[in-house]
C-alpha cells in the first residue's frame, strides 16, 4: 500500500484531470525510453513536439501567447508526475517554468508573440545559461561579455552545466554589458542557436540525470539583435534573475517532495515483498522504524510545500521563503532516499532499480538553483 497522504490543499478537479493526462503521457512517451536516453545522454527531440501536441508545454503561459492559460499549480502537477515516474531526462521544468516566464515577464510584446507560441508547440526548446566554467553561485562574477555594436550586441563567452543545451533553439544568456558595474552590469540576452558563432560543446557525463542533455555552450562573436535584450535597458539582468529565482527554487522543491514520496512508496513495496530469514524485510523493527521516519518526513515536507505553493499562487512567496523550501525539501529527500536505498541492500546499488537512479539523480538538488549553503546565506539575511 502506498503512502496515504491527503490531497494537496491547492488541488482541483481540473488539476487532477491534468495529472491523469501527465501520467499517461509520461508512461507512454517517457518511461519506456529511459535506458536508451541515458545511453545517448539526451531525450529524443521529438518528445518536445509530442508534449506540445497534447498541451503540456507552457501550461502557465497565457493563451494569447499560445500557452495553456493556467497557473503555477498546473506546472506543479506535471513536475510531480514526472518525478514520480522516475524521469530526469526531460528538461521541461526549465523550458516551462523558467525560460517561458523570463520571456513573459521581460521580453518585448513583439518578441513574446514570436517566441512563446513556438515554445508552447515544442518547435523551439528553451534553455537558460548562467553558470560558467569558473563561476558557479557568484553570478556577479560572470565573464561572458556583450558589447553594443549598432543594432546588435556582440557576445563572447562560455557557459557550462546548461540543461537542454543540446536541443535548445533559444537560450537566455546572462552576460556583462558593463564589466565594471558589478551586479548592475549584468544583462540577459536571448540567443537563437542558429546564429553564427554559437556552438555547443559536449553533452556532459554526470553522476545522475544521465538522460538529460546538459551541455557546454560557446559564444564566439555572436551578433545578437538589440531587440533580444530582456527588459527596457541594460543592467537589469541581476534584478530579473533575483525576481525569477524563487519560482525556480519552488520548482526544485516540488520535484524533491514528489521524489521523496515516490521513494517511500517503492521501498514499502519492496520490503513487503522481499524476504530475509524467512520473513518479509518490513517485519524487522529497523525497517519499520526507518520507514516510519521516512513517512513522517514525507508528510511534513508535503505540508510545507503545499503552504509554499499556496503563497506563490497568491504572489506572496518571497526570496527567503523559496530558499527555505528548497533547502528543507532537498536536504530531506537526499536523506530519505539514502535511507530507503539501504533497505534494498545490494540491489539498491544496481542502476536497474529505480531507487538507485533516484539516489543518483537527487544529489544535484542540493547544488543547482543555488547550493544549500547559499540558501542558508539568503535565509540568514532575514533573521
Amino acid at each position: 500500500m502506498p503512502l496515504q497522504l491527503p490531497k494537496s490543499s491547492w488541488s482541483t478537479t481540473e488539476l487532477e484531470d491534468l495529472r491523469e493526462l501527465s501520467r499517461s503521457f509520461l508512461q507512454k512517451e517517457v518511461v519506456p525510453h529511459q535506458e536508451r536516453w541515458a545511453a545517448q545522454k539526451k531525450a529524443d527531440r521529438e518528445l518536445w513536439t509530442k508534449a506540445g501536441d497534447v498541451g503540456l508545454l507552457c501550461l502557465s503561459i497565457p493563451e494569447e501567447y499560445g500557452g495553456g492559460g493556467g497557473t503555477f499549480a498546473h506546472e506543479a502537477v506535471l513536475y510531480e508526475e514526472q518525478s514520480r515516474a522516475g524521469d530526469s531526462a526531460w528538461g521541461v521544468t526549465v523550458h516551462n517554468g523558467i525560460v517561458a516566464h523570463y520571456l513573459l515577464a521581460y521580453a518585448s510584446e513583439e518578441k513574446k508573440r514570436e517566441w512563446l507560441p513556438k515554445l508552447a508547440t515544442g518547435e523551439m526548446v528553451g534553455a537558460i545559461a548562467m553558470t560558467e566554467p569558473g563561476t558557479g553561485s557568484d553570478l556577479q562574477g560572470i565573464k561572458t561579455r556583450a558589447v553594443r555594436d549598432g543594432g546588435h550586441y556582440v557576445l563572447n563567452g562560455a557557459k557550462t552545466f546548461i540543461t537542454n543545451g543540446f536541443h535548445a533553439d533559444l537560450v537566455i544568456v546572462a552576460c556583462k554589458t558593463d564589466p565594471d558595474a558589478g551586479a548592475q552590469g549584468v544583462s540577459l540576452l536571448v540567443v537563437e542557436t542558429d546564429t553564427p558563432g554559437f556552438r555547443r560543446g559536449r553533452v556532459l557525463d554526470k553522476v545522475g540525470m544521465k538522460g538529460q542533455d546538459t551541455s557546454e555552450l560557446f559564444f564566439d562573436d555572436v551578433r545578437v539583435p538589440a531587440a533580444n535584450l530582456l527588459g527596457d535597458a541594460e543592467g537589469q539582468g541581476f534584478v530579473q534573475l533575483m525576481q525569477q529565482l524563487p519560482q525556480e527554487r519552488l520548482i526544485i522543491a516540488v520535484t524533491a517532495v514528489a521524489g521523496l514520496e515516490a521513494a517511500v512508496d517503492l521501498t514499502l513495496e519492496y520490503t513487503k515483498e522481499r524476504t530475509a530469514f524467512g520473513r518479509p524485510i518490513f517485519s524487522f523493527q529497523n525497517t519499520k522504524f526507518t520507514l516510519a521516519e521516512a513517512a513522517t518526513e514525507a508528510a511534513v515536507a508535503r505540508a510545507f510545500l503545499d503552504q509554499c505553493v499556496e503563497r506563490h499562487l497568491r504572489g506572496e512567496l518571497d526570496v527567503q521563503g523559496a530558499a527555505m523550501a528548497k533547502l528543507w525539501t532537498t536536504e530531506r529527500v537526499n536523506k530519505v532516499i539514502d535511507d530507503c536505498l539501504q533497505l534494498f541492500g545490494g540491489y539498491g546499488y544496481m542502476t536497474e532499480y529505480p531507487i538507485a537512479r533516484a539516489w543518483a539523480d537527487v544529489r544535484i538538488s542540493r547544488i543547482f538553483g543555488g547550493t544549500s549553503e547559499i540558501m542558508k546565506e539568503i535565509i540568514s539575511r532575514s533573521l
Side-chain angles (χ1 to χ4, degrees):
M1 177 182 291
L3 279 175
Q4 300 298 302
L5 296 174
K7 189 174 292 187
S8 291
S9 52
W10 45 268
S11 181
T12 65
T13 301
E14 178 195 356
L15 291 172
E16 291 309 307
D17 289 341
L18 174 61
R19 189 178 299 281
E20 286 299 318
L21 171 63
S22 302
R23 188 177 299 150
S24 63
F25 178 83
L26 289 159
Q27 289 299 321
K28 179 183 177 183
E29 303 292 351
V30 174
V31 172
H33 307 293
Q34 292 293 292
E35 290 186 18
R36 181 169 60 83
W37 290 348
Q40 69 188 25
K41 298 183 182 178
K42 58 183 181 294
D44 296 335
R45 178 61 177 82
E46 295 74 25
L47 175 64
W48 291 96
T49 49
K50 289 178 179 177
D53 288 344
V54 298
L56 291 178
L57 298 182
C58 297
L59 288 164
S60 56
I61 296 299
E63 293 179 13
E64 65 180 298
Y65 301 116
T71 68
F72 179 79
H74 293 76
E75 302 286 1
V77 164
L78 173 59
Y79 307 154
E80 285 182 345
E81 290 307 311
Q82 181 187 18
S83 193
R84 287 174 180 146
D87 173 61
S88 61
W90 185 26
V92 69
T93 55
V94 170
H95 179 97
N96 273 19
I98 300 174
V99 174
H101 280 271
Y102 274 91
L103 301 182
L104 180 66
Y106 310 120
S108 67
E109 187 64 25
E110 178 185 356
K111 291 298 182 180
K112 281 190 277 196
R113 294 191 182 279
E114 177 184 347
W115 289 325
L116 287 172
K118 293 177 181 178
L119 291 179
T121 62
E123 179 183 343
M124 279 186 144
V125 174
I128 184 165
M130 292 186 273
T131 303
E132 297 182 358
T135 307
S137 298
D138 180 17
L139 291 175
Q140 298 183 47
I142 58 175
K143 303 298 184 186
T144 299
R145 179 81 194 277
V147 178
R148 185 69 181 260
D149 180 26
H152 289 77
Y153 287 94
V154 179
L155 184 66
N156 283 280
K159 298 289 183 177
T160 194
F161 308 145
I162 309 306
T163 300
N164 295 340
F166 182 86
H167 285 312
D169 304 285
L170 180 150
V171 183
I172 298 172
V173 181
C175 58
K176 282 289 185 72
T177 45
D178 183 348
D180 300 320
Q184 285 71 42
V186 177
S187 299
L188 301 182
L189 281 178
V190 180
V191 177
E192 296 189 41
T193 58
D194 59 359
T195 307
F198 170 84
R199 58 190 173 90
R200 307 174 207 269
R202 62 196 174 105
V203 178
L204 300 170
D205 189 15
K206 307 179 295 298
V207 170
M209 292 189 162
K210 294 288 191 179
Q212 186 188 97
D213 61 318
T214 310
S215 301
E216 300 170 319
L217 304 179
F218 300 96
F219 308 89
D220 303 317
D221 290 329
V222 178
R223 293 187 65 83
V224 183
N228 288 22
L229 177 72
L230 294 185
D232 54 15
E234 294 179 5
Q236 298 178 355
F238 196 80
V239 171
Q240 293 164 346
L241 290 165
M242 294 306 103
Q243 289 171 342
Q244 294 296 318
L245 276 170
Q247 175 156 305
E248 178 179 346
R249 288 166 179 158
L250 183 59
I251 288 169
I252 295 169
V254 166
T255 60
V257 173
L260 192 163
E261 293 167 349
V264 177
D265 284 341
L266 280 172
T267 311
L268 283 169
E269 180 181 8
Y270 179 82
T271 56
K272 290 181 178 181
E273 292 178 354
R274 177 83 172 173
T275 59
F277 303 102
R279 57 187 175 128
I281 294 173
F282 183 79
S283 68
F284 292 93
Q285 186 183 67
N286 177 70
T287 305
K288 289 190 285 189
F289 281 14
T290 298
L291 286 169
E293 289 181 2
T296 304
E297 296 269 22
V300 173
R302 169 58 59 185
F304 179 39
L305 175 68
D306 286 349
Q307 180 194 84
C308 291
V309 171
E310 287 179 355
R311 289 175 63 194
H312 189 51
L313 291 171
R314 296 193 302 265
E316 298 173 1
L317 184 66
D318 57 12
V319 171
Q320 285 76 22
M324 287 179 176
K326 182 188 183 294
L327 173 66
W328 178 258
T329 60
T330 58
E331 292 289 335
R332 303 333 290 163
V333 69
N334 272 273
K335 177 186 182 300
V336 168
I337 290 184
D338 192 71
D339 289 345
C340 287
L341 184 148
Q342 187 74 15
L343 296 177
F344 279 75
Y347 290 105
Y349 207 62
M350 299 296 106
T351 54
E352 64 260 34
Y353 276 71
I355 195 69
R357 297 195 296 272
W359 179 78
D361 287 346
V362 79
R363 184 58 181 84
I364 190 62
S365 68
R366 293 169 57 201
I367 298 172
F368 66 10
T371 64
S372 289
E373 292 72 29
I374 293 293
M375 295 306 99
K376 294 173 186 177
E377 177 66 26
I378 291 169
I379 295 162
S380 70
R381 293 171 190 165
S382 67
L383 301 182

